[in-house]
Amino acid sequence: MTGGGPAGPVRTAVVTLARPAGAYDVVSLAVPAAPDWSAARPGQFLVVPGSPGRGDALPRLHWLADVSVDPVHGTAVEVAVPAGGGWDLGHRLRLLGPLGRGFGVPTAPVPALVVGHGGSAVPLRWLVARLRARGCAVHVVLSADDPDEHFEVASLRRQTATVRLTAQPDLGRVATEVLEQEPRIGVVYAAGPRASVREVAQAAVAAGRSVRVSALDLDEPLLCGTGLCGQCDVRTTGAAGGRSLRPCLHGPVVPGEQVLDAPR
Ligand code: FES
């Protein structure tokens, strides 16, 4: 491991496993042990710097799908990449991470609603596992542009009280329905395109529930992921005046109230 700048440490990772999961390959990476892996949370991400010499100028950002820290077997990090993305066994790569602020879980076992769309749902299986470990009953609402893009739904069904699949424009409406049907839900989590997380945040706040959202959409190509370019900025227009939020630096997970009035 070498030291990094403000963006975080640069690490060398080795691909140890790749298995197909619908539209994705779930890739396991062996990484050097470090305290920030032990503290990693769903909602954090990795940046794989671009390689202009290979015609790959932009960095690639990947959600952490899971992190396992084992003193005997080492530290393993999972990411999901497009199926056939060329992450072959033994491939070595440099990466930055874990970056950003992830989803926390409640201190008490309160029922939770988890909402996500497409590739933004990659961290949610891990989030659900952590909620279940805390004793929280979990309800899930997912959408995807293609059925193959639902990430590990079978695993989610085994861990949760309910899973509802819908279309992206209906995420906010379905989240509202679940909140009406399950009045004991105390906390809502959302990840997806900006318009979707805003609608889910509005539904949660209207229902008086606590809400955390991921304000970064990695299905969009991004220029840096380390706070330098401003491409991911969310500008809001609240009564207190306009604000700007830079999710890759100040999030990506933020209180839902911060995106309630973000434009589409
Ligand atoms: S992607 Fe460049 S500042 Fe966030």
Side-chain angles (χ1 to χ4, degrees):
M1 181 177 70
T2 58
V10 179
R11 277 144 180 171
T12 299
V14 181
V15 176
T16 57
L17 189 69
R19 61 179 171 81
Y24 307 96
D25 287 339
V26 179
V27 176
S28 292
L29 304 168
V31 293
D36 48 359
W37 292 126
S38 302
R41 290 175 166 188
Q44 291 186 288
F45 60 95
L46 304 176
V47 174
V48 178
S51 175
R54 294 200 312 239
D56 194 11
L58 286 181
R60 285 169 294 158
L61 279 63
H62 301 279
W63 295 119
L64 291 176
D66 201 359
V67 173
S68 100
V69 175
D70 183 316
V72 176
H73 299 101
T75 301
V77 173
E78 274 190 357
V79 296
V81 302
W87 292 51
D88 300 323
L89 293 189
H91 176 61
R92 299 175 75 84
L93 65 154
R94 280 158 47 86
L95 55 81
L96 286 171
L99 298 180
R101 181 185 309 168
F103 289 108
V105 298
T107 53
V110 56
L113 170 61
V114 175
V115 183
H117 173 79
S120 296
V122 164
L124 300 185
R125 179 202 56 180
W126 185 22
L127 173 60
V128 166
R130 290 174 64 105
L131 289 166
R132 296 290 299 131
R134 185 52 55 87
C136 303
V138 184
H139 302 266
V140 172
V141 178
L142 294 176
S143 64
D145 295 332
D146 183 287
D148 270 357
E149 291 175 7
H150 282 301
F151 186 69
E152 304 210 309
V153 175
S155 170
L156 286 173
R157 288 194 195 283
R158 286 193 294 274
Q159 298 184 72
T160 56
T162 62
V163 175
R164 289 184 62 171
L165 305 183
T166 186
Q168 185 194 345
D170 296 327
L171 277 176
R173 179 184 61 76
V174 176
T176 299
E177 285 178 10
V178 175
L179 291 172
E180 288 170 356
Q181 292 162 3
E182 305 289 343
R184 293 179 60 242
I185 288 174
V187 59
V188 178
Y189 300 90
R194 196 166 289 177
S196 295
V197 297
R198 189 190 66 239
E199 286 168 16
V200 174
Q202 289 169 342
V205 169
R209 317 299 169 85
S210 172
V211 56
R212 295 287 181 276
V213 304
S214 173
L216 197 62
D217 181 8
L218 298 194
D219 287 346
E220 305 269 336
L222 292 170
L223 293 176
C224 76
T226 54
L228 295 175
C229 74
Q231 185 196 358
C232 67
D233 285 5
V234 177
R235 299 191 196 286
T236 61
T237 55
R243 291 179 292 115
S244 184
L245 170 71
R246 185 159 295 178
C248 74
L249 195 61
H250 303 126
V253 173
V254 297
E257 288 78 1
Q258 292 192 12
V259 302
L260 286 181
D261 53 6
R264 288 179 187 273

